[in-house]
Amino acid sequence: MATPLARPSSSPVRRARFSLPWYAWSLLAAGAFYWLAHAMHWDDRGLLWASERLESPAQRQESIWLPDYHAVIDAKVLPGMEEDEASDLTYNPQTKTLFAIMGKHPFLVELTLQGDVLRKMPLVGWSNPEGVAYMENGLMAITDERKHTLSIIQVDADTRELNSTDFPHYDLGPSKNQNKGFEGVAWDPRNQQLALGEERPPALFTWKSDGSQLLKGDKQIHASDELDLRNLSALAIDPRTGHSLLLSADSHLLLELDDAGEQVSFMTLLGGFNGIKDTIPRAEGVALDESGNLYMVSEPNLFYRFEKQR
């Protein structure tokens, strides 16, 4: 006799489901948003945005005032440098050109103010150059993040290659995070000193100089308060106002400080703001010329130019 087929159970086993009440999900979402806002310093940016609205026209005129800048060259590709990782940028007022440092395969590249390549100069003997600053009379300062050193090099119209053994080196000392050392460097002509920026935790230092290859004394911690940045990628100093620009790739932010270290204005590097179509992927270098035009480079090989619109 045929065996009857088993019938499915009328009481199927139900899978256990984990669920939270709506208010628990709301608390989790609020906590996640608060953590993200704190990590990205959105609270600080909000306070700064509010304080910007209270600045008088005269005060804005006396500063760089980043909200007024608009991209006129947006993500121009530097040809042939896709694998080279742009690390910093500086402006030479004598030649009216820019110099960018490439860290992965170390070399210095001279650019026009429109981001066209004029020449490449290999950097022999550097391990991981991350910062570059034009000083005076053809001298430039270069920081090597891996070696924790600063070199002062000489560049002229005939330079085609640079060897580290030909120039003086200065020990920058240990960093709190040895893998996140000194990335930023800028020349401060008013105070005759180099400004130095440590990547993480972000910190500012100064080192006195007369504009030659000789540094005086030791580097000193800057009097500025704790920096509201996730990291510090690059520095620039405006020769007109003496104010500093601090660039943070992780925060997608450019921040202006006055000579007392107080925050003055900022510019977000997210797509849709200040004429930027797409978010700047990883901004690593910033420079200003004597007219106030602003330049930026991003990894791997993108170039930006900003001009004031008001």
Side-chain angles (χ1 to χ4, degrees):
M1 185 169 66
T3 302
L5 296 174
R7 292 183 178 179
S9 171
S10 59
S11 302
V13 177
R14 296 182 181 274
R15 294 180 180 178
R17 293 183 178 178
F18 177 76
S19 61
L20 289 174
W22 67 268
Y23 56 83
W25 286 113
S26 299
L27 289 173
L28 285 173
F33 179 82
Y34 176 81
W35 177 87
L36 182 62
H38 178 73
M40 296 295 290
H41 296 280
W42 288 347
D43 49 349
D44 299 308
R45 298 291 79 77
L47 291 173
L48 182 53
W49 181 87
S51 68
E52 282 182 343
R53 309 279 74 76
L54 301 176
E55 296 282 350
S56 68
Q59 289 171 316
R60 297 184 185 192
Q61 197 67 29
E62 293 171 356
S63 69
I64 301 170
W65 202 250
L66 295 170
D68 287 350
Y69 279 84
H70 187 90
V72 294
I73 298 178
D74 185 7
K76 180 175 180 175
V77 174
L78 299 175
M81 302 183 200
E82 296 81 1
E83 305 298 326
D84 292 314
E85 295 184 358
S87 296
D88 200 5
L89 189 68
T90 190
Y91 172 71
N92 182 336
Q94 271 68 53
T95 60
K96 310 294 184 187
T97 58
L98 298 161
F99 288 81
I101 200 163
M102 315 300 278
K104 190 173 181 179
H105 305 102
F107 66 88
L108 193 66
V109 56
E110 186 175 9
L111 305 169
T112 70
L113 302 185
Q114 304 302 318
D116 298 318
V117 176
L118 296 173
R119 57 173 165 161
K120 291 180 176 181
M121 293 160 279
L123 294 172
V124 180
W126 278 269
S127 177
N128 185 30
E130 285 287 341
V132 62
Y134 183 80
M135 297 173 65
E136 295 174 3
N137 303 315
L139 295 179
M140 294 187 194
I142 293 179
T143 59
D144 191 311
E145 187 177 27
R146 191 168 296 144
K147 292 184 176 180
H148 295 262
T149 59
L150 180 143
S151 309
I152 300 181
I153 65 171
Q154 180 86 45
V155 178
D156 59 32
D158 298 322
T159 303
R160 293 294 175 267
E161 182 179 280
L162 294 149
N163 195 307
S164 65
T165 60
D166 295 334
F167 306 104
H169 296 262
Y170 294 89
D171 185 4
L172 291 172
S175 300
K176 290 183 180 180
N177 185 336
Q178 286 293 91
N179 295 321
K180 301 294 181 182
F182 287 88
E183 278 212 7
V185 62
W187 173 241
D188 182 352
R190 289 188 175 193
N191 297 303
Q192 289 289 288
Q193 63 188 12
L194 284 167
L196 296 160
E198 201 168 23
E199 181 185 6
R200 189 179 292 122
L204 288 176
F205 298 81
T206 58
W207 204 331
K208 288 293 184 181
S209 170
D210 60 1
S212 72
Q213 291 180 308
L214 179 65
L215 298 183
K216 300 177 181 179
D218 298 313
K219 74 179 192 299
Q220 304 294 322
I221 187 72
H222 194 274
S224 176
D225 294 331
E226 182 180 353
L227 300 174
D228 296 326
L229 301 168
R230 295 180 64 198
N231 81 316
L232 180 56
S233 302
L235 296 172
I237 294 179
D238 181 14
R240 304 161 305 157
T241 63
H243 289 191
S244 301
L245 289 179
L246 279 61
L247 182 64
S248 174
D250 290 351
S251 297
H252 295 292
L253 188 76
L254 183 63
L255 183 64
E256 177 187 2
L257 302 183
D258 63 18
D259 51 9
E262 297 295 327
Q263 298 181 6
V264 177
S265 70
F266 75 97
M267 180 170 74
T268 182
L269 308 181
L270 301 176
F273 293 90
N274 295 84
I276 305 169
K277 181 180 178 183
D278 298 313
T279 297
I280 298 178
R282 187 162 188 84
E284 290 287 340
V286 63
L288 276 166
D289 65 24
E290 62 276 315
S291 299
N293 298 312
L294 179 65
Y295 307 89
M296 209 173 291
V297 288
S298 171
E299 290 183 359
N301 62 335
L302 300 178
F303 175 85
Y304 300 79
R305 173 175 167 140
F306 299 83
E307 294 178 1
K308 215 164 187 178
Q309 298 297 294
R310 300 178 193 175

